[in-house]
Amino acid sequence: QVRLVESGGGLVQPGGSLRLSCAASGLNFKIATMAWYRQAPGNERELVATITPTGGVNVADSMKGRFTMSRDWARSTAYLQMNSLKPEDTAVYYCNTNWRGSLWWGKGTLVTVSS
């Protein structure tokens, strides 16, 4: 059973930074592509970024230059570094992976950007 546990969300002022963590278990993390999605109230869930097993990162165009992903293979943890946060970044952020043909999701962590 794959388990993804997000942490690191919270309240941050506009222009601030946060780093989200996703601790993964129940899969071979070394060969898993990991992703972050987000869902704002009233909106559909959208892809934020992905990272390949070898560390290649793709970030959604609207977040390029502000967000990036990384991973720690020893800790089986993926990270989302968010800088220059804006109120429109307020959302629940979800960790995701496609493992053995099934999509797996964490429960999400809430990020609120507000002064």
Side-chain angles (χ1 to χ4, degrees):
Q1 183 84 356
V2 174
R3 188 164 181 245
L4 304 174
V5 180
E6 302 96 335
S7 61
L11 175 64
V12 61
Q13 292 189 341
S17 297
L18 276 178
R19 188 178 79 157
L20 306 182
S21 300
C22 170
S25 60
L27 75 169
N28 187 344
F29 185 78
K30 291 183 172 66
I31 61 171
T33 292
M34 304 298 296
W36 284 97
Y37 284 74
R38 70 182 185 184
Q39 187 167 19
N43 289 3
E44 293 187 353
R45 196 169 293 190
E46 65 174 338
L47 178 64
V48 175
T50 61
I51 188 166
T52 67
T54 54
V57 175
N58 279 302
V59 179
D61 286 345
S62 61
M63 293 161 247
K64 274 181 182 172
R66 299 191 301 123
F67 291 11
T68 191
M69 271 191 83
S70 61
R71 64 194 297 163
D72 184 330
W73 289 266
R75 288 184 167 83
S76 295
T77 299
Y79 301 98
L80 180 67
Q81 179 67 43
M82 306 184 293
N83 300 324
S84 302
L85 283 161
K86 306 174 182 179
E88 50 265 42
D89 295 318
T90 294
V92 178
Y93 285 73
Y94 296 92
C95 185
N96 163 276
T97 190
N98 187 333
W99 182 251
R100 293 182 176 174
S102 296
L103 286 178
W104 299 90
W105 297 90
K107 293 183 179 180
T109 186
L110 176 63
V111 173
T112 303
V113 185
S114 175
S115 54

